[in-house]
Amino acid sequence: MHQFKLAEDPSSSELHVERASVSIGRVQIVQDVSFHAHAGEFVAIIGPSGSGKTTLLKAMTGELSYSGSIRLAGMETGKLSAEYLAQMRGVLPQASQISFPLNVSEVVGLGVIDRRQGRDGRARRIRDALAKVGLHGFEGRSYQELSGGEQQRVQLARVLCQVWEPVADDGNPRWLFLDEPVSSLDIKHQYQIMQLAAGYAAAGGGVVAVMHDLNLTAAFADRILVMKGGKRLSFGGRDEVMQADLLSEAYDFPLALTRSGESDVPLVVPGGGSVR
Amino acid sequence: MTGIALPDLFARRFVSSGGNREPLARAALVLLAVVAGLTMLVSLAIGPIAIPVLELLPHMPGRVLAASAGAPEGVSARDWIVVTEIRLPRVVLGALVGAALAVAGAVMQGLFRNPLADPGIVGVSAGAGLGAALFIVLGNTALASVMAILGIYAVPLAAFIGGLITTLLLYRIGTRGGITSVATLLLAGIALGALTGAMTGLLVYAADDQQLRDLQFWGLGSLAGSNWEKVASAAPIIGVMLVSVPFLARGLNGLTLGEAAASHIGIRVQRLKNISILLVAAATGASVAVSGGIGFVGIVVPHLLRLTIGPDHKYLLPASALLGAILLIAADTLARTIVAPAELPIGIITAFAGAPFFLWILLRKRGLTGL
């Protein structure tokens, strides 16, 4: 299924989080979270608002300092330089405000950090990335005049430009860290972007995404980390985690699972009884 | 054939470039460079004495580089002295100061992620002014020993330190979590401006008559009294700034995404901020030391350029340097001819033109973002 070649050292294709804790000011937001992800997988982080999902993601991307250990390709992310990290992973933040009137191709172009790209290669990369997120021909549009969903997709195109090949020349996988990548999109684009992310993983890259939509998570994630109150509530494969009682506990709200038609993907609905 | 093909080629590139404003920006840079050259020539020619500048032109590089004094053969000694000792240093200083102020504005706006940030408006110039005033008033008495060591660099250096302290304070006050609030920034600028103004006032109180005249004229902003010594004191500092600022372009572009996202694409944000603050303070300090409080160049120039060539700092910074030089030389030419034989402080002209412009940006921005 996964047709990429792994580098010799198995740790080079893993994200290892061991007893990571993150504090902002004096408040501890994330406490002793451990899990590991392999490149080639789509890992979703779910949990109620305020459970520390985004904070954990920010620690993994090097934006927040942490205690414990977060290793990407065997290296402690907190010790890597911004330049080095930028070669290994791209980050899609939750919301992106831009301070000056850049147009779409200028925003996306900020992601082209590979200096070997000539002027034409750069323009082609920008065009291809925009096509991937369904914004073909948007190059000359003003970023600030786009809708929230379009802005979100422009940002994703920028991130894709940065880590274009899921596996780098040296055989090491690249990583996508996405903070609620589809929260401001309509259903068509939600599926489009989720397929894009899943495709990135299938091609050998690593994908870690903070998700709010449990049904999209069930449809696309290979493994799921459930957070609650800053701690890890559960971590495992989709079928392990997608359980009515576990999800109900995570969200403090009665949830049930159902299936529609032939699909083997569970649907999460409010309510008491479980169909499984 | 090329005569027909070239404009056509340009037009096609602009139209079909799919959001790529770079060809336009490159063309604008060439145009600005040509206009800058022409503005300098016109400014050299205009004045109480009309001077055939084109005839003198071939001899000028020798004067600037080698400081050879006498008039070359076939040139009137009077014309030669007027041009080389009065107008040329003034034009060169005007170009340096205009470029420095405009680039300092552009860098500061990129750093604070706000089109209204400018060394003049947020009080950096006032801080630099305090440093400079300190040496103007006390240079012969309390600070004479420092003056003796630093020579012509004492005033620019003091202005630089004053500007640096103000910039650092502003950054600490106005920025929280990487986000600068416009309101806090402007209000902090007012407060810091008032504070440094009060301290400068104390110095004015202690100044003698001659110093008072110097301070007052200098406070309004003027290029009068430009000479090669002033050029020599400001040129190294402004030169370093103009040469190093292109290396900030990628970082400042990244910073438009915010500090976190800039770091994600591989920009060392803290280092970028440190260098930017240092360069802004240095350039503002050097400009204030030689020309006083010339305001609004740093607001007007980058804003006009963003509207035309776009906000890419790779082009915005050099274009700001050129347009800043052009505008300041033009304003100075106006300042010294409009009420001849007297002259207006150039700061009055830039304020008359710049302040309404500032209000216009403010109103437009308020409409957009609910400032």
Side-chain angles (χ1 to χ4, degrees):
Chain A
M1 190 174 90
H2 297 158
Q3 291 171 349
F4 57 93
K5 220 176 93 182
L6 280 180
E8 302 284 320
D9 179 6
S11 73
S12 70
S13 62
E14 284 180 9
L15 168 70
H16 254 279
V17 179
E18 273 172 46
R19 308 203 57 181
S21 298
V22 187
S23 298
I24 298 177
R26 259 180 266 163
V27 187
Q28 189 165 49
I29 312 279
V30 172
Q31 208 181 333
D32 264 348
V33 172
S34 302
F35 78 98
H36 64 278
H38 294 278
E41 285 179 339
F42 187 129
V43 176
I45 305 176
I46 61 171
S49 298
S51 60
K53 306 181 297 288
T54 293
T55 305
L56 177 63
L57 193 84
K58 284 182 175 172
M60 289 190 270
T61 62
E63 187 179 333
L64 290 176
S65 55
Y66 54 84
S67 61
S69 168
I70 298 178
R71 277 169 300 158
L72 195 57
M75 290 169 289
E76 202 64 43
T77 52
K79 290 180 182 154
L80 296 175
S81 72
E83 285 111 321
Y84 195 91
L85 271 172
Q87 311 286 332
M88 298 172 67
R89 59 99 184 92
V91 184
L92 180 72
Q94 229 172 70
S96 306
Q97 278 222 322
I98 283 202
S99 47
F100 292 109
L102 295 163
N103 66 29
V104 168
S105 86
E106 286 161 349
V107 174
V108 178
L110 288 172
V112 187
I113 59 169
D114 181 356
R115 303 201 184 166
R116 292 169 301 179
Q117 297 285 333
R119 197 174 289 157
D120 290 340
R122 198 182 146 80
R124 202 176 321 120
R125 175 72 55 88
I126 292 169
R127 202 174 55 233
D128 293 351
L130 281 172
K132 272 201 180 190
V133 299
L135 291 175
H136 182 73
F138 270 58
E139 283 91 337
R141 297 275 294 272
S142 159
Y143 178 83
Q144 286 163 331
E145 286 162 16
L146 300 179
S147 73
E150 286 165 342
Q151 290 187 346
Q152 182 80 343
R153 285 187 284 149
V154 169
Q155 293 291 344
L156 182 63
R158 168 178 71 74
V159 175
L160 284 175
C161 279
Q162 185 183 338
V163 288
W164 189 252
E165 290 91 11
V167 180
D169 298 343
D170 59 8
N172 284 322
R174 290 205 173 95
W175 292 79
L176 278 177
F177 291 94
L178 312 171
D179 196 353
E180 296 186 22
V182 296
S183 53
S184 55
L185 304 182
D186 58 51
I187 190 158
K188 169 187 159 190
H189 292 112
Q190 285 186 333
Y191 273 84
Q192 215 174 58
I193 296 306
M194 291 303 281
Q195 275 162 358
L196 185 64
Y200 194 87
V207 178
V208 179
V210 169
M211 295 290 298
H212 259 310
D213 188 314
L214 296 177
N215 292 320
L216 284 171
T217 305
F220 289 96
D222 296 309
R223 289 211 271 179
I224 301 169
L225 171 68
V226 188
M227 298 279 293
K228 190 183 183 187
K231 293 181 183 158
R232 162 183 152 167
L233 185 66
S234 175
F235 176 65
R238 184 187 72 194
D239 296 333
E240 251 173 281
V241 171
M242 282 290 156
Q243 301 289 344
D245 47 351
L246 178 61
L247 293 177
S248 301
E249 188 193 341
Y251 288 90
D252 275 332
F253 184 71
L255 291 168
L257 295 177
T258 175
R259 281 171 203 282
S260 76
E262 304 286 291
S263 165
D264 66 339
V265 175
L267 280 175
V268 182
V269 292
S274 169
V275 180
R276 279 179 77 99
Chain B
M1 195 184 117
T2 47
I4 303 162
L6 214 59
D8 180 39
L9 189 76
F10 260 100
R12 252 188 301 151
R13 287 200 72 164
F14 292 150
V15 173
S16 68
S17 49
N20 183 3
R21 292 189 265 194
E22 288 191 53
L24 173 69
R26 274 193 289 272
L29 275 184
V30 173
L31 182 72
L32 284 171
V34 172
V35 174
L38 290 176
T39 313
M40 286 182 173
L41 284 181
V42 170
S43 183
L44 286 176
I46 293 181
I49 302 167
I51 286 176
V53 172
L54 289 179
E55 289 170 29
L56 272 61
L57 200 57
H59 307 291
M60 279 185 204
R63 172 61 188 87
V64 176
L65 296 174
S68 60
E73 274 187 45
V75 174
S76 122
R78 188 200 61 179
D79 284 2
W80 182 248
I81 286 183
V82 166
V83 165
T84 61
E85 295 307 316
I86 299 172
R87 289 191 198 162
L88 189 56
R90 188 163 179 158
V91 165
V92 171
L93 201 65
L96 284 171
V97 167
L101 291 176
V103 173
V107 170
M108 201 156 188
Q109 285 143 28
L111 183 68
F112 284 93
R113 305 184 65 214
N114 192 305
L116 291 176
D118 171 72
I121 284 168
V122 298
V124 177
S125 302
L130 174 62
L134 208 61
F135 274 83
I136 291 179
V137 176
L138 301 176
N140 292 326
T141 51
L143 296 171
S145 52
V146 185
M147 198 84 175
I149 299 167
L150 296 171
I152 58 167
Y153 297 105
V155 176
L157 204 64
F160 162 62
I161 293 169
L164 184 64
I165 293 171
T166 323
T167 317
L168 290 174
L169 278 175
L170 263 180
Y171 203 88
R172 289 294 292 274
I173 298 168
T175 306
R176 186 169 287 171
I179 295 161
T180 311
S181 133
V182 199
T184 317
L185 186 71
L186 294 177
L187 291 174
I190 292 172
L192 287 173
L195 191 64
T196 48
M199 292 193 235
T200 310
L202 272 182
L203 289 168
V204 169
Y205 191 71
D208 63 28
D209 279 358
Q210 179 56 41
Q211 288 167 343
L212 213 56
R213 269 187 61 83
D214 283 357
L215 274 177
Q216 189 176 22
F217 205 66
W218 170 86
L220 290 169
S222 173
L223 287 169
S226 298
N227 52 37
W228 288 112
E229 193 179 81
K230 283 190 178 175
V231 172
S233 76
I237 302 172
I238 294 175
V240 166
M241 186 248 202
L242 292 179
V243 169
S244 41
V245 109
F247 297 103
L248 299 180
R250 198 181 92 86
L252 290 174
N253 280 342
L255 216 51
T256 56
L257 298 169
E259 288 191 21
S263 167
H264 293 153
I265 59 172
I267 288 156
R268 282 192 259 168
V269 173
Q270 194 53 49
R271 194 184 60 156
L272 172 74
K273 290 199 290 193
N274 292 344
I275 296 175
S276 301
I277 286 178
L278 211 64
L279 287 176
V280 165
T284 308
S287 310
V288 167
V290 293
S291 64
I294 300 177
F296 297 103
V297 177
I299 290 269
V300 174
V301 169
H303 200 81
L304 283 177
L305 288 169
R306 273 191 213 101
L307 289 176
T308 46
I309 65 171
D312 184 348
H313 288 86
K314 187 171 147 198
Y315 300 102
L316 180 66
L317 295 173
S320 291
L322 288 169
L323 188 58
I326 292 168
L327 284 186
L328 208 66
I329 295 171
D332 184 51
T333 312
L334 199 65
R336 62 185 174 78
T337 50
I338 196 168
V339 289
E343 66 173 75
L344 277 178
I346 186 176
I348 292 179
I349 293 180
T350 58
F352 262 122
F357 192 88
F358 179 82
L359 284 174
W360 175 66
I361 303 176
L362 198 68
L363 291 173
R364 253 173 48 111
K365 220 179 124 63
R366 192 177 60 176
L368 280 176
T369 61
L371 187 86

